Amino acid sequence: MLTPAFEVCQEDDFLTLIIKARFARVSETEIFVDGKAFKFYSKPYFLRLTLPGALVEDGRETANYDPEKGTFTIRFPKETPGEKFDGLDMLTQLMAPTGSDSASEPFIEPLATKDEEDIKLADEERQDVKEDEEDEEGEDGDINWEVDQTPCSLDEDEIVGPVKYGFAGRRSGVFSRLQEELSSIVDVPDPDHMTAKEKREARQEEEAEKFDDEHYLADLYEEETIQQLLNYKPVWQKQKKEDQLTQEECVNPSPDLIKFTEAEREQMLKLPRKEFLLDKNMEIEAYMGLLDVIFAYAFNHRSTEGDNSVESAWTICKLSTTLSWLDTQSTPRDVLVSSVRRSLCYPLHRHWELAISTVDDVKTIFHLGRNQILKALLEVHRLLSEDDPRYILNELYITDYCVWLQGQPQEKIQKLALSLDKVKLSKEDVDLDLNELEEAARCVLEEDGGIPTSPPTVEMKGYPHLLQEPGNDKSEDSHSEQSSTDSSESYAEEEESSGEGEESSEEGEAVAHREEGDAEGTNEPDPGDKGRRVVQGTSTVTNSQTLLSHLPEGVGSLSKNMASLMIEKSKSDALDTRLDSDDDSNG
């Protein structure tokens, strides 16, 4: 049997289903409705849906077939007129079967008890767990994202059992079975044996090592490129700005506000049909992983201005601690701090304001609700499926996220969005010494007179009369006389010190004269440097020791290395200019 593509929409009193079945045998079509259950059969197509509300057959139902489009249009009245059916665009959730066969894996197992005392003890333990979970929930049963976190007193190394990862920590031993080249898709060295504490310590150590202060400062002063990315308006801002959303629109966004494309609907139809039974800790872990992946998606979207590149899959996986280190966080603040920190260590553009703009994008996406988040997950799923071998991460995380999210209530997502609004980040939170590094860069620029806004001045030395118009005899005679005097003095000094021949004395003194003039900064004319150009006015070479000595104390060796590199770069640029000028003159 084939599962046809379909759409579901609603009015106040009716529900409409549009089913695409081009090769159906219309004469053998059967339609069945019983409360929330809907079944459609027209060989070779079969569709079974579990609707969020009940329908009724009272004679007002209709069914039409369009042979040109190959579509069935079926309308049924609602059992309760005016009732609003939620989640009609969550196609995978609508097709999920009901009953005990719906979950592909057993999440709940009965406790084996020997007598009534064991049963009583088990009931008391379950009651204690239930009371603890209620303390962490709000009055309406939702997760309290502001609850105080109490560290576990048990050493993770003492925990017996395999290391868990994947969606909601439900998988283990996967990478041990993979080929060696496939296991390199994550950064964690030994994913099947490293504990969560070991992974987190190793991850933070690698981030500190990968952070490049020169790259960060280069992007800090690359205003044109970064400003272009900051000015970019993502699709979610074009649909509707966050501050224009009412409370009702946040909890139940209008179907006209965020619609799925035809490709996205087909993608949802290919997702597996299953349900997830998660306890409170697993649910928190799932939401934090979702937040982590959405940040990576939003950063890639903004940095590429909505046009994905061949590096998009790499960027998303590298920025997400969930996908790169199989790591989990416990609070929204921890997730955002970790994500911003990685965005300053790995991607092409490493800028604080760019990272903060991405945080704002994440808040907007969550305020727009389930549909917008699902669209982002579907795009991540598509990117990873086309990137070998990162498709493994779809099997571990993204596919399950796409299915699980469709069953999550809008109210719970909205509460997480409101919790994100309370998170305010500073540069101290990422623990990369950004303020000290920027202060060191400002000191260097201030000592150097700031960033030059005009091209360097060029002064002609040697025989400038060769480049002047004929007729300026005065200037020509003056320079000729000065050059002759310099040549005679150089010859006499060389003859007295070395006693060598006339020709060798003149050549040696010319070289020594140039080196002495360069070292002292006099740039005196020399007969051997006809038409030589000397760059003046912008070099930091003459005060290199002053710049280094005036750096503030405690800025760290990285900042001083940055200042030294700036000085060496200035020296190299001046030398290149002079060599190019000499080549042009000799030619």
Side-chain angles (χ1 to χ4, degrees):
M1 292 293 179
L2 300 178
T3 301
F6 67 96
E7 300 178 34
V8 185
C9 55
Q10 64 178 325
E11 302 171 8
D12 290 340
D13 299 335
F14 283 87
L15 185 76
T16 303
L17 296 96
I18 302 175
I19 302 175
K20 299 181 180 180
R22 183 174 297 275
F23 305 105
R25 296 184 182 180
V26 181
S27 60
E28 301 180 5
T29 300
E30 297 181 10
I31 301 173
F32 172 80
V33 169
D34 183 13
K36 296 183 178 181
F38 171 86
K39 296 179 182 179
F40 168 86
Y41 172 77
S42 184
K43 191 176 182 179
Y45 299 99
F46 176 74
L47 178 64
R48 179 185 60 223
L49 302 178
T50 302
L51 301 170
L55 303 179
V56 64
E57 294 185 74
D58 58 2
R60 293 181 294 166
E61 62 275 4
T62 60
N64 299 308
Y65 179 74
D66 187 342
E68 295 183 358
K69 298 181 179 179
T71 59
F72 288 87
T73 303
I74 304 170
R75 285 169 54 88
F76 273 93
K78 297 179 180 179
E79 185 177 79
T80 304
E83 179 184 1
K84 183 176 182 179
F85 291 178
D86 184 31
L88 293 179
D89 43 10
M90 303 290 107
L91 305 186
T92 309
Q93 186 70 17
L94 293 177
M95 293 188 295
T98 59
S100 58
D101 297 337
S102 59
S104 59
E105 301 179 15
F107 295 100
I108 301 178
E109 299 179 359
L111 293 175
T113 58
K114 297 180 181 180
D115 49 35
E116 295 181 357
E117 183 177 354
D118 292 339
I119 296 177
K120 182 179 180 180
L121 179 60
D123 291 339
E124 292 176 354
E125 291 179 352
R126 285 195 294 269
Q127 182 65 26
D128 292 340
V129 172
K130 182 177 179 180
E131 291 176 356
D132 292 340
E133 290 182 352
E134 289 177 351
D135 292 339
E136 297 178 0
E137 298 176 359
E139 296 179 356
D140 54 357
D142 291 330
I143 297 175
N144 181 9
W145 300 108
E146 308 301 326
V147 68
D148 293 334
Q149 301 293 312
T150 303
C152 180
S153 59
L154 179 63
D155 189 351
E156 291 183 345
D157 295 335
E158 300 176 3
I159 298 178
V160 179
V163 176
K164 299 288 187 178
Y165 45 80
F167 172 76
R170 301 186 305 110
R171 306 291 292 274
S172 64
V174 174
F175 290 93
S176 298
R177 301 189 298 268
L178 293 176
Q179 300 177 7
E180 182 178 355
E181 58 271 17
L182 295 182
S183 62
S184 62
I185 61 177
V186 296
D187 294 340
V188 56
D190 191 1
D192 287 315
H193 298 92
M194 292 183 68
T195 64
K197 180 180 179 181
E198 292 172 341
K199 287 188 293 187
R200 187 169 296 110
E201 291 176 352
R203 172 177 61 81
Q204 294 174 349
E205 182 179 350
E206 185 191 74
E207 291 168 357
E209 180 181 352
K210 293 295 184 180
F211 178 71
D212 189 340
D213 56 340
E214 297 173 24
H215 193 143
Y216 175 78
L217 289 176
D219 285 354
L220 179 64
Y221 294 104
E222 189 68 26
E223 297 182 357
E224 181 177 355
T225 302
I226 299 300
Q227 194 60 43
Q228 180 178 347
L229 300 180
L230 295 177
N231 293 335
Y232 171 70
K233 300 297 182 183
V235 61
W236 45 84
Q237 290 186 2
K238 294 178 181 179
Q239 289 172 343
K240 198 165 189 179
K241 293 183 179 180
E242 176 185 342
D243 57 3
Q244 294 176 333
L245 291 174
T246 64
Q247 182 71 15
E248 176 64 22
E249 288 174 327
C250 289
V251 177
N252 296 300
S254 170
D256 298 331
L257 182 61
I258 303 172
K259 292 184 177 181
F260 293 101
T261 65
E262 183 68 25
E264 290 169 340
R265 287 195 293 268
E266 293 180 1
Q267 193 175 357
M268 283 190 284
L269 292 177
K270 297 178 182 178
L271 295 174
R273 285 72 154 167
K274 55 183 177 180
E275 295 178 355
F276 300 93
L277 301 178
L278 308 181
D279 61 27
K280 190 59 59 178
N281 291 331
M282 296 172 67
E283 188 175 14
I284 293 176
E285 180 179 332
Y287 269 108
M288 294 301 97
L290 175 65
L291 177 59
D292 176 63
V293 172
I294 294 301
F295 178 94
Y297 157 80
F299 187 95
N300 171 74
H301 187 91
R302 178 172 287 277
S303 61
T304 60
E305 298 183 83
D307 186 11
N308 292 318
S309 67
V310 294
E311 297 294 334
S312 292
W314 178 91
T315 300
I316 293 174
C317 292
K318 186 62 73 171
L319 294 189
S320 169
T321 60
T322 300
L323 301 179
S324 59
W325 279 87
L326 313 179
D327 195 8
T328 59
Q329 308 290 343
S330 58
T331 66
R333 180 179 182 83
D334 292 341
V335 174
L336 294 181
V337 169
S338 175
S339 298
V340 170
R341 177 182 168 94
R342 293 184 70 81
S343 71
L344 299 175
C345 297
Y346 294 102
L348 175 62
H349 303 292
R350 309 176 189 179
H351 196 277
W352 174 259
E353 293 300 330
L354 180 60
I356 296 303
S357 295
T358 304
V359 172
D360 295 336
D361 291 336
V362 172
K363 295 177 181 179
T364 302
I365 292 174
F366 273 83
H367 271 290
L368 287 172
R370 182 176 54 198
N371 285 25
Q372 188 63 58
I373 300 174
L374 182 56
K375 289 173 71 72
L377 288 176
L378 292 173
E379 182 173 341
V380 173
H381 189 280
R382 185 168 57 254
L383 289 172
L384 296 185
S385 64
E386 298 171 354
D387 189 278
D388 188 29
R390 292 188 174 88
Y391 66 88
I392 297 294
L393 297 174
N394 275 341
E395 300 178 10
L396 289 175
Y397 289 98
I398 307 302
T399 299
D400 287 346
Y401 266 119
C402 292
V403 177
W404 169 78
L405 180 65
Q406 296 183 47
Q408 296 304 298
Q410 293 279 12
E411 293 81 0
K412 187 171 292 187
I413 297 175
Q414 174 63 11
K415 286 183 178 296
L416 177 56
L418 296 176
S419 178
L420 291 175
D421 289 339
K422 300 177 182 179
V423 178
K424 306 298 180 183
L425 301 180
S426 64
K427 294 180 180 179
E428 290 82 2
D429 294 330
V430 296
D431 194 24
L432 293 174
D433 297 331
L434 299 183
N435 289 327
E436 292 80 0
L437 185 60
E438 295 178 14
E439 180 63 24
R442 281 192 292 269
C443 289
V444 172
L445 293 176
E446 290 174 0
E447 291 287 347
D448 194 32
I451 301 177
T453 58
S454 59
T457 58
V458 178
E459 181 179 351
M460 304 302 300
K461 297 292 184 180
Y463 285 109
H465 64 280
L466 296 177
L467 303 178
Q468 295 177 353
E469 295 182 0
N472 194 350
D473 296 336
K474 180 178 180 181
S475 175
E476 180 177 348
D477 294 340
S478 174
H479 282 284
S480 177
E481 180 181 356
Q482 179 66 31
S483 299
S484 176
T485 302
D486 292 342
S487 178
S488 299
E489 293 176 355
S490 299
Y491 173 81
E493 293 175 0
E494 182 66 15
E495 182 68 22
E496 181 178 355
S497 61
S498 63
E500 296 180 357
E502 179 180 353
E503 182 178 356
S504 61
S505 299
E506 291 179 347
E507 294 177 354
E509 180 61 16
V511 173
H513 188 68
R514 285 198 302 270
E515 293 177 351
E516 180 180 0
D518 291 343
E520 296 177 357
T522 57
N523 292 325
E524 295 180 358
D526 185 80
D529 290 340
K530 298 179 179 180
R532 177 166 58 88
R533 302 178 186 181
V534 179
V535 180
Q536 298 178 339
T538 60
S539 175
T540 63
V541 177
T542 57
N543 58 347
S544 60
Q545 297 300 327
T546 303
L547 296 183
L548 290 175
S549 62
H550 280 72
L551 286 176
E553 296 182 0
V555 298
S557 59
L558 290 177
S559 301
K560 293 190 176 182
N561 290 338
M562 177 274 301
S564 300
L565 288 172
M566 292 177 63
I567 295 168
E568 294 299 328
K569 181 66 166 57
S570 178
K571 292 180 180 180
S572 177
D573 291 344
L575 180 59
D576 291 343
T577 303
R578 294 175 57 184
L579 291 177
D580 292 342
S581 300
D582 290 342
D583 292 340
D584 295 340
S585 176
N586 294 333

